[in-house]
């Protein structure tokens, strides 16, 4: 599933001619392109989908949506823990032990 998630703009900079922001999604920090919202400012919230800020959002709506997504487990599903995801794909746990169905001496 790929959600459009609200996030708070922490900083803005220009990278290779593209306006980019560092955005906080309830504790998960990602880089986001601001080309569709060129007037978005630090401290404001936006709906972000596949790395692009698409729509400005008020703070209360953003907080309520993040809380709802968190309660439903959708933030973990959307962002997850990259170390756990990589380990699952490799057939091991993050500590390096094999998961079920995979030989332990790997």
């Amino acid at each position: 599933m790929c959600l459009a998630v609200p996030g708070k703009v922490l900083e803005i900079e220009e990278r290779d001619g593209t306006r980019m922001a560092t955005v906080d999604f309830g504790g998960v920090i990602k880089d986001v392109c601001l080309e569709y919202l060129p007037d978005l400012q630090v401290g404001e919230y936006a709906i972000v989908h596949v790395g692009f800020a698409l729509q400005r959002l008020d703070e209360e709506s953003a907080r309520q949506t993040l809380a709802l997504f968190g309660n439903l487990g959708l933030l973990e599903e959307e962002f997850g823990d990259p170390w756990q995801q990589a380990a699952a794909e490799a057939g091991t746990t993050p500590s390096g032990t094999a998961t079920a169905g995979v030989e332990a001496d790997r």
Side-chain angles (χ1 to χ4, degrees):
M1 175 185 276
C2 194
L3 298 172
V5 181
K8 181 178 183 179
V9 177
L10 301 177
E11 29 180 87
I12 296 173
E13 66 180 326
E14 184 122 349
R15 292 188 209 150
D16 299 321
T18 302
R19 196 162 184 258
M20 297 292 292
T22 302
V23 178
D24 180 0
F25 300 96
V28 176
I29 309 296
K30 298 278 185 180
D31 290 334
V32 171
C33 179
L34 299 181
E35 291 300 304
Y36 295 129
L37 291 176
D39 61 338
L40 196 65
Q41 299 297 314
V42 170
E44 291 186 305
Y45 288 80
I47 298 290
V48 177
H49 181 63
V50 293
F52 291 87
L54 300 177
Q55 182 177 357
R56 185 176 278 103
L57 188 65
D58 66 274
E59 183 175 357
E60 183 59 28
S61 295
R63 290 183 186 275
Q64 288 176 357
T65 303
L66 283 170
L68 177 62
F69 284 1
N71 290 340
L72 295 173
L74 296 174
L75 289 178
E76 174 107 1
E77 183 179 318
E78 181 69 15
F79 296 117
D81 179 339
W83 294 109
Q84 286 180 339
Q85 289 173 349
E89 290 171 11
T92 62
T93 64
S95 63
T97 59
T99 59
V102 179
E103 296 176 358
D105 61 351
R106 274 180 130 184

